[in-house]
Amino acid sequence: MTDESADPTDSEPTNGLGAFGDFIRTQRRLADLSQRELARISEVSDAYLSQLERGLHEPSVRVVNAISSALNLPSDKLLGFLGGQVDADDGPATEAAILTDDRLTDAQKQSLLDVLNAFLAANDHT
């Protein structure tokens, strides 16, 4: 039903699409949504959402807007991942924002920091 049994090597963030897919997957899981539920809410097919999460396709603006709306995120945040605009210089401010956001649980904060650090590490190797 969900992508949790997918091959983990399919989701390695090797480019903007991989970072985009990893970010969507993380946000979906934090929202406690299955892949099927997010696909239904954002009006895209399950298969297409799976491919997006694995970094296999570049979504249209309509799809980015639909997913961002379904996840309650600004669409420019998602577009930034597609454009490779994850800036390492924003790290300290981003970490501070995550750590001081009272709307997040400690587990959510740690998950976000882990994802941020993984993205920054992946960017250092490119």
Side-chain angles (χ1 to χ4, degrees):
M1 268 162 82
T2 64
D3 69 329
E4 279 70 25
S5 64
D7 182 355
T9 60
D10 288 343
S11 63
E12 291 179 14
T14 58
N15 56 32
L17 294 178
F20 176 80
D22 284 347
F23 184 75
I24 289 173
R25 183 182 311 104
T26 300
Q27 293 301 309
R28 174 178 61 75
R29 288 177 178 167
L30 287 172
D32 198 29
L33 293 171
S34 70
Q35 201 172 64
R36 180 168 288 160
E37 290 168 326
L38 179 58
R40 182 184 50 77
I41 294 167
S42 59
E43 298 180 348
V44 299
S45 74
D46 297 355
Y48 186 62
L49 182 59
S50 173
Q51 291 171 349
L52 289 175
E53 287 190 1
R54 290 181 288 142
L56 300 178
H57 288 285
E58 184 170 350
S60 67
V61 172
R62 182 198 71 78
V63 170
V64 170
N65 287 334
I67 292 171
S68 66
S69 177
L71 292 172
N72 198 27
L73 297 168
S75 58
D76 60 333
K77 179 86 168 171
L78 294 181
L79 289 170
F81 283 99
L82 287 172
Q85 298 171 0
V86 180
D87 190 351
D89 292 338
D90 289 341
T94 303
E95 290 175 6
I98 291 169
L99 291 170
T100 59
D101 193 335
D102 294 331
R103 299 170 298 173
L104 300 170
T105 66
D106 289 340
Q108 289 171 331
K109 290 175 185 179
Q110 187 59 55
S111 293
L112 289 171
L113 291 172
D114 290 346
V115 169
L116 174 64
N117 290 329
F119 288 161
L120 295 175
N123 288 345
D124 287 342
H125 291 96
T126 57

